[in-house]
Amino acid sequence: MYTKINADIVQALRRIVGDANVLTDAERMEPYTHDHVVGLRADPEVVARVTSAGQVAEIFRLAQRERVPVTPRGAGYGLSGGAVPVHGGIVLSVEKMNRILEIDKKNLMVTVEPGVITGDIHRAVEAEGLFYPPDPASLDSCFIGGNIAEGAGGPRAVKYGVTKDYVCGLEAVLPSGEVITCGGKLVKNVTGYNLIQLLVGSEGTLAVVTQIILRLLPLPPVRMDLLVPFDDFQVAADTVSDIIAHRVLPTTIEFMERDSLLAVERLLEKEFPYHDAAAQLLIQLDGNRREAVEADVDVVGELCLEHGARDVLVAQDRPTRDRLWEARRAIIDALTHESPINHMEDVVVPRAEIPALLKGIKEIAARHTVRIISFGHAGDGNVHVNVLKDSLPDDTWEALVPAVTEETYRLTLSLGGTLTGEHGIGVTRRRYLSLALDAAQIELMRQIKAVFDPNYILNPGKIFP
Ligand SMILES: Cc1cc2nc3c(=O)[nH]c(=O)nc-3n(C[C@H](O)[C@H](O)[C@H](O)COP(=O)(O)OP(=O)(O)OC[C@H]3O[C@@H](n4cnc5c(N)ncnc54)[C@H](O)[C@@H]3O)c2cc1C
């Protein structure tokens, strides 16, 4: 269906992006063969590192002429295989488009290129007393363009929402090679269909994003973190929905069960407080006035103790806070260290259903006699469910993963939830799309894809079953 990359195409790419930005050598292309999905790999035939929207447009025109697939790539930290070139062809990397173009303090907006590391945006705007809240746990590695494409979330979603809530403007290149500019430094905009929100979360299948305008907030000066250990896993889960129902809105409520913390200890070779607790909540509160934040800390702390928390550890300064968060940020790496073969789901349910979800997952684990470790953004109903192969035989594992996945999805859907809260469908979940969406919706999405990309050259093999 697609043309193989030949010497003429490589030569044309060299003319577009320059010799130094075209990679054809297998060893140099190896980092572009995978993202962070365990065991998923595919070889690009060539990698082109772009530095402008004009270059992206030229690559698309070439790809249309020659009928070769183009897979956009950010930092490759995705967890659904979106940047993996499953049909070969050109990997189009935005890694060199990494400038923060403007921090506009009058309009509270920042304009960036797609290859800026998300954490660098945080640091740059915070130095100006401003705040970009979305904070995926991968923020020191992933790119903002990848966050836009995946509709990334993060712990602070409980109070501040996710990436989509901050995108006011996008420049994007369509597969036809046309460059479009949507929105701008506008807080309000209802001019025509909302193409910005169509592109956010489109997983690199509709256009390549080349410039982004993000809304900023004033940086809340007071931040406090609570680490709350529980001796009973289910009590910790119940406490999450009770905090939300109590009309205190924490910035984050993260859930970690004992096995995840022990895995982090083994990876980082150090001890964390209350590592023997069955589960821990990591709760952050922020605001403008210390007294107000302290009052909320008291309410949440007392509520946790009433539920039977073993203790409430409060961190008020940066180093203590960083220590508390160190374990949470390392969980994904720790689980891979623990069992190099593992499988992660990213289900999301209405927040009040978190206890039922976590209980149901324990039952699935018991039914299949497999280790499943759940952790994540419990405060917004989004839990990462990690199934570990450990020493299971290969054939047992291969039969077990689809069964556990499908049971987890059916449980989630029965609770009013859906398949993925922030990692996307990509390659790994596409065969399950029809469990969550009816045929009419999938058909509508296919038609949208065909309008943007009638020749199916942009990131084929993703989202659709
Ligand atoms: C340890 C770890 C922790 C994580 N924590 C979180 C978390 O808390 N929250 C969360 O939401 N995710 C999390 N993730 C997943 C991942 O970090 C996010 O999905 C992130 O948005 C991916 O960005 P990236 O630059 O690495 O994108 P990539 O993996 O390179 O690409 C992801 C998708 O975006 C497309 N894409 C990339 N750039 C562009 C562009 N400029 N234009 C169009 N399409 C593009 C690609 O084609 C692909 O489909 C985590 C991952 C890891 C490994």
Side-chain angles (χ1 to χ4, degrees), residues 72 74-79 82 136-138 143 146-147 149-150 152-153 203-204 207 209 422 459:
Y77 262 68
L79 287 170
S138 51
F143 295 168
N147 294 175
E150 294 293 352
E203 304 191 24
V209 171
E422 54 181 29
N459 213 353

Side-chain angles (χ1 to χ4, degrees), residues 304-325:
C304 291
L305 291 171
E306 275 167 28
H307 272 80
R310 197 198 287 181
D311 198 356
V312 175
L313 212 74
V314 183
Q316 307 209 15
D317 57 85
R318 183 83 197 230
T320 318
R321 209 163 61 221
D322 288 349
R323 259 204 317 282
L324 294 189
W325 280 92

